[in-house]
Amino acid sequence: MLIPEGMAGRVHQSLLWLFRRDMSLAIELADRAAGRGPSVDARVSMLVDRSGVLQRVGLRDDDGRVLPDLLLTVHGHPSGPPGLTHAEDPLARQVWIVEVQLGRDRTRAQSWAESVVAAAREFELRLRDVELLIVSPSRPVRGWIRRELLPDLPRRTCLLEPVHVPRIRCVERARGRPTAAVLSAVFHGREPTGEAIVFAACQAIRPLPRPTRRRYRYLIETAAHPAMELPPPVDPVLSPEPEERPSDWELGGLTWAQHGERFTERGLRQGVDIGMARAYREGLRAMLQLLGHALTPAQEHQLSSCDVPERLHAALMTVRDGGCPESALAQLALV
């Protein structure tokens, strides 16, 4: 993936947007990078996004903050067997830190190591229970990280390489998990067979809510070879992403009315996501009822607690196309 000059911030935020909407994807890829089987069982585990401020060890003032890109904690799932419920296991049993890196920065090794130590202390875990996944779609940057940073990082650190990211060329498979399809395009879009991967990703994102679709389309277009002819976007013009937070100097130059417009627009976009999730959830429930499938308590919890539109839509399409209801609902387990 070639990142245009001045666009690294937008690529960075769009990748984080992707992982926050499919938190299990980051862990699945880290397991592949580590050469092991699944480390999180979707039937008894629950992921929580804790991407807040951590304190460096020994410091408690404002200068001692650590800001990881994405901090995921693994808990027992409420529908799991006795002894593994979130109520009985309120503390995290495992922590994952996901860092997106698009440039060369020697200070990152120290910052990432501090995040691992701070997370272990915050959640009262051993250091070996905190894992770090570094994601960089840039081949030169990955090579630099491999040479210059990895030797100084904690042992349980994985650098995501293209070989760890499945190539998704089938449109139906891509529609079943758009996040994985987009990431496949990001890491393989410029390969000789990348055109089929890019096409599948473009088709997979078409039904998604507009803010999500715009971010994913931007990632796909950035990753694709310039000679590729992409399917036309749903949105004719991709203007700069309005959801990215403006810098402090830009905010300082806005009037109160402009501030209000920005926050109103953001609220409307969030409302669209909530409405889409509710519609897909009710549609899936109605379709299952028509098929005579009675939801178990665990399945009802999975359905009612999922608020990610693209995951709910994928489950709905699976049932509509004659797929197994159990398999469709299992897609919601870690959301």
Side-chain angles (χ1 to χ4, degrees):
M1 182 178 189
L2 297 180
I3 302 171
E5 185 177 355
M7 290 299 185
R10 188 175 173 191
V11 171
H12 183 276
Q13 293 305 314
S14 296
L15 283 171
L16 287 181
W17 175 279
L18 182 150
F19 283 119
R20 284 198 170 98
R21 274 148 184 79
D22 191 352
M23 294 185 286
S24 60
L25 180 61
I27 297 179
E28 292 169 15
L29 293 173
D31 288 335
R32 290 174 63 96
R36 65 186 174 219
S39 59
V40 173
D41 190 338
R43 297 169 298 176
V44 297
S45 296
M46 168 175 76
L47 299 183
V48 180
D49 182 358
R50 298 289 187 86
S51 302
V53 175
L54 295 175
Q55 295 287 342
R56 290 193 180 97
V57 175
L59 295 177
R60 287 292 180 183
D61 55 21
D62 290 340
D63 295 329
R65 294 182 296 178
V66 178
L67 294 170
D69 281 342
L70 181 60
L71 180 67
L72 303 177
T73 57
V74 182
H75 302 262
H77 196 285
S79 62
L84 286 178
T85 64
H86 183 47
E88 296 176 3
D89 183 20
L91 298 179
R93 292 184 284 112
Q94 194 174 6
V95 172
W96 294 80
I97 297 173
V98 181
E99 293 285 350
V100 176
Q101 188 64 26
L102 304 179
R104 296 173 174 84
D105 183 354
R106 292 188 179 278
T107 67
R108 300 308 295 160
Q110 181 177 347
S111 298
W112 294 337
E114 288 175 345
S115 294
V116 170
V117 175
R121 184 186 67 174
E122 177 71 20
F123 298 102
E124 301 179 4
L125 294 172
R126 297 168 296 185
L127 283 175
R128 68 184 184 184
D129 293 325
V130 181
E131 302 211 23
L132 173 64
L133 175 67
I134 304 171
V135 179
S136 179
S138 168
R139 185 175 63 179
V141 173
R142 283 197 307 272
W144 182 84
I145 292 173
R146 199 181 305 114
R147 295 188 308 270
E148 302 294 333
L149 300 189
L150 281 185
D152 297 328
L153 289 170
R155 181 173 60 88
R156 296 182 73 85
T157 298
C158 295
L159 175 63
L160 191 65
E161 302 278 6
V163 69
H164 306 139
V165 181
R167 293 171 173 83
I168 300 178
R169 303 183 182 91
C170 172
V171 173
E172 289 305 313
R173 181 184 173 193
R175 286 173 176 163
R177 198 171 190 184
T179 49
V182 173
L183 202 65
S184 179
V186 167
F187 275 84
H188 303 296
R190 294 191 176 232
E191 295 178 355
T193 59
E195 189 167 0
I197 296 173
V198 168
F199 177 82
C202 287
Q203 296 302 316
I205 68 173
R206 293 182 69 84
L208 301 182
R210 185 170 181 266
T212 302
R213 185 175 65 243
R214 286 165 60 91
R215 284 184 182 268
Y216 291 173
R217 176 78 185 200
Y218 175 75
L219 287 175
I220 295 169
E221 289 183 342
T222 305
H225 193 280
M228 289 184 185
E229 184 175 349
L230 275 64
V234 176
D235 304 307
V237 178
L238 287 176
S239 58
E241 181 57 61
E243 292 191 10
E244 293 181 0
R245 183 189 183 278
S247 61
D248 290 338
W249 64 263
E250 183 182 357
L251 283 174
L254 298 178
T255 65
W256 282 109
Q258 290 170 323
H259 276 289
E261 290 174 0
R262 283 180 180 270
F263 292 120
T264 298
E265 183 180 2
R266 182 177 302 173
L268 288 173
R269 285 192 299 270
Q270 292 173 347
V272 169
D273 276 351
I274 294 172
M276 293 292 290
R278 182 178 300 171
Y280 288 143
R281 188 185 301 114
E282 294 308 312
L284 180 56
R285 185 176 280 113
M287 187 170 292
L288 291 171
Q289 186 176 3
L290 287 173
L291 294 173
H293 179 85
L295 293 171
T296 66
Q299 290 173 338
E300 177 60 39
H301 172 80
Q302 291 172 356
L303 181 57
S304 60
S305 62
C306 179
D307 58 0
V308 183
E310 48 264 50
R311 268 315 197 45
L312 288 162
H313 178 265
L316 179 61
M317 292 300 100
T318 299
V319 175
R320 185 203 67 177
D321 295 338
C324 173
E326 287 79 5
S327 299
L329 292 167
Q331 301 177 48
L332 314 177
L334 286 178
V335 179

